[in-house]
Amino acid sequence: MNIICSNSGKKIMEDMLDLISGLPFEILRRILSLLPLEEAVRTSTLSTVWRNLWTPFQVDMDFDANPRTIHEDRKRVIQVIGTILRSYYDCPEVWKLCLNFPESKKDLIVLATKGAENEVHFEFSKREKISGKFKLKLEQTCQGFSNNPTKKASFSLLKTLHLRSVSHLAKDLVSALFSNCQLLESLKIEKCVGLESLDIKAGNCLQNLAVLDCPDIVDLTISTPILESFSYQGVLPRIHLVNTLNLIHVVLYLKDGLGNNEFDCEEILLLLASLKEVEILTISGWLLEWLCSAGVIFRCLRFQFNKLKELRWIDSLINRAKRDSLACFLNVAPILERLFIKIERTNSSAPCPYFHQYWHEPHLWMDFATVESNTSQFDHLKVVTFLGFGIKEDQLLLMELLLKKASMLNSMSVILPTNRIWRVVKVSLHDQPKQALSNHQNQFAVLSLTKDFFFGFTEEIYGGHCSTNA
């Protein structure tokens, strides 16, 4: 059936597509309540009608700068937030809190976006930039619940809390807010400029924690007994994990390098030792490279990653040092099943400093045969995926190493920056590469650097979306 669309026909189709916008506000709000909060917020870009659904309810509050009254002022704000949590909780909405400090001529603006699934996002902004570093301590206590059962009920609804751009002005408010969230299951803190130290002590509910892109952070301490997922992104701080024996999934995406912090090899090893029970680990390749350059031999450590089943390695490139340090780290992951190697060329590469160390045995940056002989067999490795990969010498040698050492390997694939997916197989030098590969039209072969076999690449022709998230 052929469809011819004139200008008038196009207008009719647009009107038909916009029929939903003509529904009553209460029905539109009901539609929003069925969406995840991030998706619901995006509807504000559809039209003026949808944007009006997100017009914030504004609350103005004045604060006295007198330290003797600051506690009472903080209680007032918590009461207002409790009201926000109780108000039509099945409908997403935005509240704008304008906190004025007349004596200091400073204002703090807080946008509270509330979702239908017991989720609240707080984004802090200030009209006057405040310089200087600050510390933030978040500790769950029962002090806010003792004499106010209504407030207890409102905060017990909150399961997910997202804090963005917390400033020095907001730190006391955020601490008081967190102390009331006794049943909080998920916490995200991001883009807090000036945050130098973060100390989190949670009870028996917090399961997911993410700390993202806080460029000034130096020290991060976490103590929560049932935490299962911890994600960190940004510069490398001192990370202390206390009483976190239930961790399963950890992300250490150190895309911004050291920042202004110092590299302490012993502290990093203590951190890795606290992660030895995790099952899924994402880590920046430069961290492993620096450890190896400082003299660390992973297979000589007192611990192994005996439960690690999935490793995601991220860096801006693969060179000889990074290739060999990854091979060294794989020696302490005896049951690894899935390996993802992701190249993000947009990230800046942190140059490795010079470490004064003495080598006690053949280790890294030797010839490839020595590296290969010092690498363990990968008896459980079944899937290897290269994302953003290019066909270069060090990358081909890494592929060769994995093909030799992984006797149970079921799948090796390469995902190019264009998202084209190629399946990789090992082809004997005695076979004709074109015949040894499948009959797919898109295929090619590359001679190994050792010149004793071919890498056969066959493009995967199938539907479905390929996820490249680390």
Side-chain angles (χ1 to χ4, degrees), residues 299-325:
R299 59 186 171 84
C300 295
L301 297 177
R302 296 180 180 179
F303 64 90
Q304 289 191 330
F305 291 83
N306 290 317
K307 295 183 180 180
L308 188 63
K309 295 182 179 180
E310 180 174 310
L311 175 65
R312 292 175 175 263
W313 182 99
I314 310 176
D315 214 318
S316 58
L317 55 88
I318 289 184
N319 56 24
R320 184 177 181 181
K322 296 181 189 297
R323 176 201 73 197
D324 294 351
S325 59

Short mmCIF file of all heavy atoms in Angstrom, two decimals, residues 299-325:
data_model
loop_
_atom_site.label_atom_id
_atom_site.label_comp_id
_atom_site.label_asym_id
_atom_site.label_seq_id
_atom_site.Cartn_x
_atom_site.Cartn_y
_atom_site.Cartn_z
N ARG A 299 50.04 -12.55 41.06
CA ARG A 299 49.95 -13.95 41.47
C ARG A 299 50.77 -14.25 42.72
O ARG A 299 50.69 -15.34 43.26
CB ARG A 299 50.39 -14.87 40.32
CG ARG A 299 51.79 -14.65 39.82
CD ARG A 299 52.04 -15.52 38.59
NE ARG A 299 53.29 -15.20 37.94
CZ ARG A 299 54.46 -15.70 38.31
NH1 ARG A 299 54.53 -16.54 39.32
NH2 ARG A 299 55.56 -15.36 37.66
N CYS A 300 51.52 -13.24 43.19
CA CYS A 300 52.27 -13.40 44.44
C CYS A 300 51.56 -12.76 45.63
O CYS A 300 52.08 -12.80 46.75
CB CYS A 300 53.67 -12.79 44.30
SG CYS A 300 54.71 -13.62 43.08
N LEU A 301 50.37 -12.17 45.40
CA LEU A 301 49.63 -11.56 46.50
C LEU A 301 49.02 -12.64 47.39
O LEU A 301 48.90 -13.80 47.00
CB LEU A 301 48.53 -10.65 45.94
CG LEU A 301 49.01 -9.44 45.13
CD1 LEU A 301 47.80 -8.67 44.59
CD2 LEU A 301 49.87 -8.52 45.98
N ARG A 302 48.56 -12.23 48.56
CA ARG A 302 47.97 -13.17 49.52
C ARG A 302 46.50 -13.41 49.28
O ARG A 302 45.86 -14.14 50.03
CB ARG A 302 48.20 -12.65 50.95
CG ARG A 302 49.66 -12.56 51.35
CD ARG A 302 49.80 -12.05 52.78
NE ARG A 302 51.19 -11.96 53.18
CZ ARG A 302 51.61 -11.52 54.36
NH1 ARG A 302 50.70 -11.13 55.26
NH2 ARG A 302 52.90 -11.48 54.66
N PHE A 303 45.93 -12.77 48.29
CA PHE A 303 44.51 -12.96 48.02
C PHE A 303 44.30 -13.14 46.52
O PHE A 303 45.14 -12.76 45.70
CB PHE A 303 43.69 -11.76 48.53
CG PHE A 303 44.01 -10.47 47.83
CD1 PHE A 303 43.31 -10.08 46.68
CD2 PHE A 303 44.99 -9.62 48.31
CE1 PHE A 303 43.59 -8.89 46.03
CE2 PHE A 303 45.28 -8.42 47.66
CZ PHE A 303 44.58 -8.06 46.53
N GLN A 304 43.16 -13.74 46.19
CA GLN A 304 42.72 -13.88 44.81
C GLN A 304 41.26 -13.47 44.71
O GLN A 304 40.56 -13.37 45.71
CB GLN A 304 42.87 -15.33 44.33
CG GLN A 304 44.29 -15.78 44.12
CD GLN A 304 44.34 -17.12 43.41
OE1 GLN A 304 43.45 -17.96 43.52
NE2 GLN A 304 45.40 -17.34 42.64
N PHE A 305 40.82 -13.23 43.49
CA PHE A 305 39.41 -12.92 43.25
C PHE A 305 38.71 -14.24 42.92
O PHE A 305 38.38 -14.54 41.77
CB PHE A 305 39.28 -11.91 42.10
CG PHE A 305 39.80 -10.55 42.46
CD1 PHE A 305 41.15 -10.24 42.37
CD2 PHE A 305 38.92 -9.56 42.90
CE1 PHE A 305 41.62 -8.99 42.71
CE2 PHE A 305 39.39 -8.30 43.24
CZ PHE A 305 40.74 -8.02 43.15
N ASN A 306 38.44 -15.00 43.96
CA ASN A 306 37.95 -16.37 43.79
C ASN A 306 36.50 -16.46 43.37
O ASN A 306 36.02 -17.55 43.03
CB ASN A 306 38.17 -17.17 45.08
CG ASN A 306 39.64 -17.45 45.34
OD1 ASN A 306 40.38 -17.80 44.43
ND2 ASN A 306 40.06 -17.28 46.58
N LYS A 307 35.75 -15.35 43.41
CA LYS A 307 34.36 -15.37 42.99
C LYS A 307 34.12 -14.55 41.73
O LYS A 307 32.99 -14.47 41.24
CB LYS A 307 33.46 -14.84 44.12
CG LYS A 307 33.44 -15.72 45.36
CD LYS A 307 32.46 -15.18 46.40
CE LYS A 307 32.44 -16.06 47.63
NZ LYS A 307 31.48 -15.53 48.66
N LEU A 308 35.16 -13.94 41.20
CA LEU A 308 35.00 -13.04 40.06
C LEU A 308 34.65 -13.82 38.79
O LEU A 308 35.43 -14.63 38.32
CB LEU A 308 36.29 -12.24 39.84
CG LEU A 308 36.22 -11.13 38.80
CD1 LEU A 308 35.22 -10.06 39.23
CD2 LEU A 308 37.60 -10.50 38.57
N LYS A 309 33.45 -13.53 38.26
CA LYS A 309 32.99 -14.21 37.05
C LYS A 309 33.00 -13.30 35.82
O LYS A 309 33.06 -13.78 34.69
CB LYS A 309 31.57 -14.74 37.26
CG LYS A 309 31.47 -15.82 38.33
CD LYS A 309 30.04 -16.32 38.46
CE LYS A 309 29.95 -17.42 39.52
NZ LYS A 309 28.56 -17.92 39.66
N GLU A 310 32.93 -11.98 36.06
CA GLU A 310 32.90 -11.05 34.93
C GLU A 310 33.82 -9.87 35.20
O GLU A 310 33.71 -9.22 36.23
CB GLU A 310 31.47 -10.56 34.68
CG GLU A 310 31.35 -9.57 33.52
CD GLU A 310 29.90 -9.22 33.21
OE1 GLU A 310 29.09 -10.16 33.08
OE2 GLU A 310 29.57 -8.02 33.13
N LEU A 311 34.74 -9.61 34.27
CA LEU A 311 35.67 -8.49 34.38
C LEU A 311 35.48 -7.57 33.18
O LEU A 311 35.48 -8.02 32.03
CB LEU A 311 37.12 -9.00 34.43
CG LEU A 311 38.20 -7.91 34.42
CD1 LEU A 311 38.14 -7.07 35.69
CD2 LEU A 311 39.60 -8.53 34.26
N ARG A 312 35.34 -6.26 33.49
CA ARG A 312 35.26 -5.24 32.44
C ARG A 312 36.45 -4.30 32.61
O ARG A 312 36.56 -3.61 33.62
CB ARG A 312 33.93 -4.48 32.53
CG ARG A 312 32.74 -5.35 32.17
CD ARG A 312 31.40 -4.64 32.36
NE ARG A 312 30.31 -5.50 31.89
CZ ARG A 312 29.74 -5.40 30.70
NH1 ARG A 312 30.15 -4.46 29.86
NH2 ARG A 312 28.77 -6.21 30.35
N TRP A 313 37.31 -4.29 31.63
CA TRP A 313 38.55 -3.53 31.64
C TRP A 313 38.38 -2.35 30.68
O TRP A 313 38.04 -2.55 29.51
CB TRP A 313 39.69 -4.45 31.21
CG TRP A 313 41.08 -3.91 31.20
CD1 TRP A 313 42.04 -4.08 32.15
CD2 TRP A 313 41.71 -3.15 30.15
NE1 TRP A 313 43.21 -3.48 31.76
CE2 TRP A 313 43.03 -2.90 30.54
CE3 TRP A 313 41.26 -2.65 28.93
CZ2 TRP A 313 43.92 -2.17 29.75
CZ3 TRP A 313 42.14 -1.92 28.14
CH2 TRP A 313 43.46 -1.69 28.55
N ILE A 314 38.61 -1.12 31.16
CA ILE A 314 38.38 0.08 30.35
C ILE A 314 39.65 0.91 30.30
O ILE A 314 40.30 1.14 31.32
CB ILE A 314 37.25 0.95 30.92
CG1 ILE A 314 36.00 0.13 31.21
CG2 ILE A 314 36.90 2.08 29.95
CD1 ILE A 314 34.90 0.93 31.86
N ASP A 315 40.01 1.39 29.10
CA ASP A 315 41.13 2.32 28.98
C ASP A 315 41.03 3.05 27.64
O ASP A 315 40.18 2.72 26.80
CB ASP A 315 42.47 1.59 29.09
CG ASP A 315 43.53 2.44 29.76
OD1 ASP A 315 43.60 3.65 29.45
OD2 ASP A 315 44.28 1.92 30.60
N SER A 316 41.91 4.02 27.47
CA SER A 316 41.89 4.82 26.24
C SER A 316 42.62 4.13 25.11
O SER A 316 42.45 4.49 23.94
CB SER A 316 42.51 6.20 26.50
OG SER A 316 43.85 6.05 26.97
N LEU A 317 43.44 3.13 25.41
CA LEU A 317 44.19 2.41 24.38
C LEU A 317 44.73 1.11 24.99
O LEU A 317 44.69 0.91 26.20
CB LEU A 317 45.35 3.26 23.84
CG LEU A 317 46.36 3.83 24.86
CD1 LEU A 317 47.49 2.85 25.12
CD2 LEU A 317 46.93 5.14 24.37
N ILE A 318 45.22 0.26 24.09
CA ILE A 318 45.95 -0.92 24.53
C ILE A 318 47.36 -0.82 23.98
O ILE A 318 47.56 -0.76 22.76
CB ILE A 318 45.29 -2.23 24.05
CG1 ILE A 318 43.99 -2.48 24.79
CG2 ILE A 318 46.23 -3.41 24.27
CD1 ILE A 318 43.33 -3.79 24.43
N ASN A 319 48.34 -0.78 24.88
CA ASN A 319 49.73 -0.85 24.46
C ASN A 319 50.37 -2.05 25.16
O ASN A 319 49.69 -2.85 25.81
CB ASN A 319 50.47 0.45 24.79
CG ASN A 319 50.38 0.82 26.27
OD1 ASN A 319 50.16 -0.04 27.12
ND2 ASN A 319 50.53 2.10 26.57
N ARG A 320 51.65 -2.18 25.02
CA ARG A 320 52.32 -3.36 25.55
C ARG A 320 52.18 -3.45 27.07
O ARG A 320 51.90 -4.53 27.62
CB ARG A 320 53.80 -3.31 25.15
CG ARG A 320 54.59 -4.53 25.57
CD ARG A 320 56.03 -4.41 25.07
NE ARG A 320 56.82 -5.57 25.43
CZ ARG A 320 58.11 -5.71 25.13
NH1 ARG A 320 58.73 -4.75 24.46
NH2 ARG A 320 58.76 -6.80 25.50
N ALA A 321 52.37 -2.32 27.76
CA ALA A 321 52.31 -2.33 29.22
C ALA A 321 50.91 -2.68 29.72
O ALA A 321 50.75 -3.46 30.66
CB ALA A 321 52.75 -0.97 29.76
N LYS A 322 49.90 -2.12 29.10
CA LYS A 322 48.53 -2.39 29.53
C LYS A 322 48.14 -3.83 29.21
O LYS A 322 47.46 -4.50 30.01
CB LYS A 322 47.57 -1.41 28.85
CG LYS A 322 47.81 0.05 29.25
CD LYS A 322 46.81 0.97 28.57
CE LYS A 322 47.18 2.44 28.78
NZ LYS A 322 47.13 2.83 30.20
N ARG A 323 48.56 -4.31 28.07
CA ARG A 323 48.28 -5.70 27.69
C ARG A 323 48.88 -6.66 28.71
O ARG A 323 48.21 -7.58 29.20
CB ARG A 323 48.88 -5.97 26.30
CG ARG A 323 48.77 -7.39 25.81
CD ARG A 323 49.81 -7.65 24.73
NE ARG A 323 51.15 -7.75 25.29
CZ ARG A 323 52.27 -7.64 24.57
NH1 ARG A 323 52.21 -7.41 23.27
NH2 ARG A 323 53.45 -7.77 25.14
N ASP A 324 50.15 -6.43 29.07
CA ASP A 324 50.83 -7.34 29.98
C ASP A 324 50.30 -7.24 31.40
O ASP A 324 50.23 -8.24 32.12
CB ASP A 324 52.33 -7.07 29.96
CG ASP A 324 52.97 -7.41 28.62
OD1 ASP A 324 52.26 -8.01 27.78
OD2 ASP A 324 54.14 -7.08 28.39
N SER A 325 49.92 -6.04 31.84
CA SER A 325 49.37 -5.90 33.19
C SER A 325 48.00 -6.56 33.30
O SER A 325 47.66 -7.13 34.34
CB SER A 325 49.29 -4.42 33.58
OG SER A 325 48.48 -3.69 32.68
#
